Amino acid sequence: MPKIEQGSEKSFVFMRKINPVVKFLTISDIMVMGGFGFILPIFAVFIVGRIDGGTVEVVGIAEGIYLFTRSIMQIPFGYLIDKIKGEKDDFWVMFIGTLLLSLVPILYIFCDTPIKLYVVQFLYGLVGAATFPTWLAIFTRHIDKNREGLEWGVYQTFSGISAAVFSALGGFVAFKYGFNVLFIIVSIFCLIGGFFLLGLYQHMVQGKVLRRK
């Protein structure tokens, strides 16, 4: 029994010693990806029910536009991120990109035709292509040495749990209050996640954790 308690104590101490950059990025992404988790399970229902001419085919095309745009554009954005020296530029790309992501759910409110939806999905993919590689680059640089697997596991666990919880709540909110309210809530979550990154920038400006040793 004492051994279990000691192990638990050590795990708790480890959580406190995680690099602050990793903590800020994880919490921010929990808010952002968790927010979009509200939408993902019922996005097809929104398209079919709210878009004029919305069909299963439109659902597939809309998702395809987002995924294709994000996949293709991540390479040039990632190349530019690597070419520009220093992390402040990386931070601003990530921060502004996250704020732009928060506008995507609001734009869905004004989508009433497949064409408008496709445009929003293209913009969503473009912003995501700039934001996600930058997030991954900063996270990778600051992850604690010899704790890579555990810290990635911590991130995946908490982001996965938040997405699961928000996914379950998304259907309830949409049914009870409508999609417009749901999209506004998602946007607010993304904004909170974006502004939470300002705490990360404070660390970077002070030079405390620009690089892990």
Side-chain angles (χ1 to χ4, degrees), residues 46 50 106 108-109 177-185:
F46 162 73
R50 289 276 301 269
I106 300 298
Y108 285 144
I109 296 175
Y177 303 104
F179 280 101
N180 288 357
V181 172
L182 178 65
F183 291 145
I184 292 172
I185 291 174

Side-chain angles (χ1 to χ4, degrees), residues 45-55 58 110-118:
V45 177
F46 162 73
I47 294 175
V48 173
R50 289 276 301 269
I51 303 293
D52 292 336
T55 62
V58 173
F110 302 97
C111 290
D112 53 12
T113 66
I115 296 299
K116 291 180 181 179
L117 177 65
Y118 297 156

Side-chain angles (χ1 to χ4, degrees), residues 8 23 26 28 40 48 57-58 67 80 95 106-107 110 150 156 176 183 187 196 200 204 211 213:
S8 301
K23 288 182 181 178
T26 298
S28 172
L40 292 178
V48 173
E57 182 182 16
V58 173
L67 291 174
L80 289 175
F95 176 69
I106 300 298
L107 292 177
F110 302 97
L150 187 55
Q156 292 290 348
K176 191 76 174 179
F183 291 145
S187 180
F196 195 87
L200 166 63
M204 295 172 73
R211 296 279 180 190
K213 302 295 183 183

